[in-house]
């Protein structure tokens, strides 16, 4: 059974701090890695995707991938109260199915 | 910005009844999906659809479920005989390939 594991949180950070969210996956054949943000009662919204080892930056967000360790992370710089949400790590293999983690709840304190 | 549109936003149905959930994917997307999320749980894959046929389905997607693209724009999920455990948020999604999804706003299905 292919799994994506995340710490459920909540992760609480003060406004302006860096939030660090982590994810591990079980399938070594995974090829595409995604971070989604989900506000309560809403649908997931794509924030970042990464395919290659290393870092990928987009504005305040940085995704990091280490395939050898089967580890994906998301850094949010200058965290804002509006970043408070559940962050879903998602992993795609060769097929069409994307497997989601259970999500980490982030709370940014003003 | 293009959207995936889902209707209805909330559907209440009696156990054993059939329901059809509707979706209009983004027009130039080629791949269509249904996911569900039971309250407080993970987003779970149900089925993917490409080139007018199912490309992959999960164990959840049993004979009670079916999908259809009846015309060039709509993509539907039918549950033939609903059970209490089918109560969930159902999300339609679409994309152009091995990239992230655009999700619709979801249909909350309540089976009573």
């Amino acid at each position: 059974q292919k799994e994506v594991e995340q710490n459920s949180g909540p992760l609480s950070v003060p406004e302006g701090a860096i939030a660090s969210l982590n994810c591990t996956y079980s399938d070594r054949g995974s090829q595409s890695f995604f971070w989604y943000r989900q506000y309560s009662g809403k649908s997931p919204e794509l924030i970042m995707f990464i395919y290659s080892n290393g870092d990928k930056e987009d504005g305040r967000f940085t995704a990091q991938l280490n395939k050898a360790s089967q580890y994906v992370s998301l850094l949010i710089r200058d965290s804002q109260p509006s970043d408070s949400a559940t962050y879903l790590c998602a992993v795609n293999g060769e097929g069409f199915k994307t497997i989601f983690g259970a999500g980490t709840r982030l709370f940014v304190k003003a | 910005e293009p959207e995936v549109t889902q209707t209805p936003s909330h559907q209440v149905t009696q156990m054993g009844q059939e329901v059809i959930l509707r979706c209009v994917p983004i027009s130039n997307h080629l791949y269509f999906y249904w996911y569900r999320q039971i309250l407080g749980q993970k987003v779970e894959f149900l089925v993917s659809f490409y080139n007018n046929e199912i490309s992959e389905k999960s164990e959840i997607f049993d004979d009670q479920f079916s999908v259809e693209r009846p015309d060039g724009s709509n993509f539907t999920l039918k549950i033939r005989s609903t059970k209490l455990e089918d109560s969930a948020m159902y999300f339609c999604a679409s994309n152009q390939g091995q990239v992230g999804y655009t999700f619709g706003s979801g249909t909350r299905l309540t089976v009573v």
Side-chain angles (χ1 to χ4, degrees), chain A residues 61-89:
Chain A
F61 299 98
T62 299
Q64 299 174 315
L65 174 61
N66 183 326
K67 288 187 178 181
S69 300
Q70 295 174 242
Y71 179 89
V72 195
S73 65
L74 178 70
L75 300 178
I76 306 174
R77 287 180 298 282
D78 188 24
S79 296
Q80 301 297 309
S82 58
D83 294 328
S84 298
T86 297
Y87 288 80
L88 309 178
C89 175

Side-chain angles (χ1 to χ4, degrees), chain A residues 3-5 31-32 34 36 38 41-44 46 49 51 88 92-102, chain B residues 31 33 35 37 41-45 48 50 55-56 58-59 89 91 98-101 103-106 108:
Chain A
E3 298 284 346
V4 176
E5 299 291 338
Q31 299 184 347
S32 311
F34 307 91
Y36 289 83
Q38 187 175 30
K42 302 293 186 183
S43 58
L46 181 67
F49 61 88
Y51 303 138
L88 309 178
N92 203 20
E94 291 185 358
F96 295 89
K97 177 170 64 177
T98 295
I99 298 172
F100 285 78
Chain B
Y31 301 84
Y33 309 83
Y35 281 77
Q37 188 174 31
Q41 297 188 25
K42 294 183 182 184
V43 175
E44 299 176 289
F45 172 79
S48 59
Y50 170 69
S55 45
E56 193 167 353
S58 72
E59 292 172 355
M89 183 74 95
F91 294 112
Q98 285 273 352
V99 295
Y101 299 144
F103 281 93
S105 55
R108 180 167 297 285

Side-chain angles (χ1 to χ4, degrees), chain B residues 1-14:
Chain B
E1 186 163 331
E3 304 189 321
V4 175
T5 304
Q6 287 187 246
T7 55
S9 57
H10 191 188
Q11 173 99 43
V12 181
T13 188
Q14 290 203 325

